[in-house]
Amino acid sequence: MARPTGFADASASFDDAEFVILGVPFDRTTSFRPGARFGPDAIRQHSWNFESYDLETGLDLADARIHDLGNTDEYGSAEEMVRGVREELRPVYRAGKFPILLGGDHACAPPSVEAYPEDAPSLGVLYLDAHLDFRQSYLGDARSHACSSRRMVERVGARNVVVLGVRSVSREEVDDNKTVGMPFVSAHEIARDGIQSTVQRALNMLKTERLYISLDIDAIDPAYAGATGTPEPFGLTPRDVKYVFDQAAPRLVGMDIMEVSPPYDQGNTSALAARLAREAIVRVLASRRGR
Ligand code: MN
Ligand code: MN
């Protein structure tokens, strides 16, 4: 049998789909080591590793209506990529579907939030990252992956983005944020307070009707997800991130998984990213179906 190329269980047509996968093979703003452009296809490939039946909810992903749009074009600049991703995702949100964007470096995430309709219910962002990504501009590029939380703050407001898992920031970012006021919880605080109370606190802070999750895979410890552009020790566990997804699911309208870099992968990082995408789908389904 031919090896399937799309995301596992993505057998629905676009019109019938509840969840829509889109890959962005773009890593031109990576600051340390490139490779995330190969992320979408590696995550798709590893998505076939898993059973479609979900032990915890009793749901079967084979019954989920998932469509895989494939990958976007390979863009020449970050500006071009941002315009392209927005255009791809606007009709997805408009049709009431749940987009799952696979990166690509973290520069690919803000256009997904920007594509969310202005007249739709209010949107907050749970931003999982080892880094604050709060620079106004980096190496002359305001659309660098080092500026992504800042671009989202400009779209939804400082109080409507909460960053979890931070452990690498510049002094300038911290000082700058004192005037802007985007809440963040460091990985060290999460280790001290526990993921459950942290997530409760984050969800209480976000007063918006709907939520979007942006997952930079480097939020997770390099022991589990080392295949990424800028690995950073003292990270979250995969189970911590699963807990975030489980708790956010009832308000979730879209998500992305960014910065998986297959050239450094022995398979575990791509498998984890694929499994987390499937976890999000099954949890959103479960909450919509009252399980
Ligand atoms: Mn990031
Ligand atoms: Mn990061």
Side-chain angles (χ1 to χ4, degrees):
M1 199 171 79
R3 189 78 196 156
T5 51
F7 196 83
D9 302 307
S11 53
S13 67
F14 180 83
D15 287 344
D16 288 341
E18 210 171 335
F19 301 89
V20 173
I21 313 267
L22 177 66
V24 192
F26 178 91
D27 64 8
R28 285 176 198 271
T29 85
T30 310
S31 35
F32 179 46
R33 51 184 202 185
R37 73 184 69 176
F38 304 111
D41 288 340
I43 296 169
R44 285 189 180 96
Q45 193 182 24
H46 283 82
S47 68
W48 291 92
N49 176 49
F50 305 107
E51 297 283 2
S52 62
Y53 176 70
D54 182 69
L55 179 63
E56 288 183 288
T57 60
L59 295 174
D60 198 308
L61 278 171
D63 300 328
R65 287 173 288 130
I66 308 168
H67 180 74
D68 190 342
L69 281 170
N71 289 345
T72 63
D73 297 335
E74 294 186 25
Y75 303 107
S77 69
E79 273 298 332
E80 201 186 317
M81 176 276 295
V82 164
R83 279 195 300 273
V85 172
R86 274 195 217 130
E87 275 164 36
E88 294 277 357
L89 289 183
R90 276 196 186 110
V92 176
Y93 284 116
R94 279 275 170 225
K97 302 178 192 305
F98 185 111
I100 300 172
L101 198 64
L102 305 176
D105 72 35
H106 214 167
C108 306
S112 179
V113 170
E114 290 157 7
Y116 183 77
E118 302 256 14
D119 56 357
S122 58
L123 187 68
V125 179
L126 275 170
Y127 193 98
L128 281 67
D129 206 312
H131 310 89
L132 205 56
D133 291 354
F134 198 67
R135 287 178 161 91
Q136 187 58 257
S137 175
Y138 188 66
L139 303 177
D141 187 357
R143 283 295 182 172
S144 162
H145 73 158
C147 311
S148 291
S149 68
R150 188 127 193 183
R151 298 291 86 82
M152 290 187 192
V153 159
E154 288 167 355
R155 178 64 170 75
V156 301
R159 289 283 153 197
N160 294 329
V161 179
V162 174
V163 185
L164 300 179
V166 179
R167 53 206 187 272
S168 174
V169 292
S170 68
R171 184 190 299 277
E172 290 72 26
E173 285 176 292
V174 173
D175 287 348
D176 224 9
N177 189 39
K178 281 180 185 147
T179 57
V180 179
M182 173 183 72
F184 67 91
V185 187
S186 75
H188 315 302
E189 291 172 275
I190 295 172
R192 184 194 65 201
D193 300 341
I195 190 68
Q196 297 190 4
S197 70
T198 303
V199 171
Q200 236 20 273
R201 193 151 65 90
L203 291 177
N204 290 339
M205 276 191 271
L206 291 164
K207 308 288 185 208
T208 54
E209 292 159 272
R210 303 284 188 263
L211 291 177
Y212 180 92
I213 286 179
S214 186
L215 172 64
D216 183 328
I217 203 76
D218 71 27
I220 300 169
D221 195 87
Y224 306 101
T228 190
T230 46
E232 191 68 43
F234 304 123
L236 306 184
T237 67
R239 200 170 284 287
D240 290 339
V241 174
K242 176 185 185 309
Y243 186 77
V244 174
F245 288 12
D246 295 355
Q247 296 300 304
R251 288 157 74 191
L252 213 53
V253 291
M255 69 173 301
D256 61 67
I257 302 181
M258 297 286 143
E259 301 279 358
V260 171
S261 188
Y264 301 95
D265 202 7
Q266 289 177 318
N268 50 332
T269 306
S270 297
L272 176 57
R275 182 66 184 76
L276 285 170
R278 293 171 71 77
E279 180 70 18
I281 292 170
V282 85
R283 287 293 167 168
V284 169
L285 270 183
S287 77
R288 288 179 182 180
R289 293 182 188 173
R291 299 233 188 173

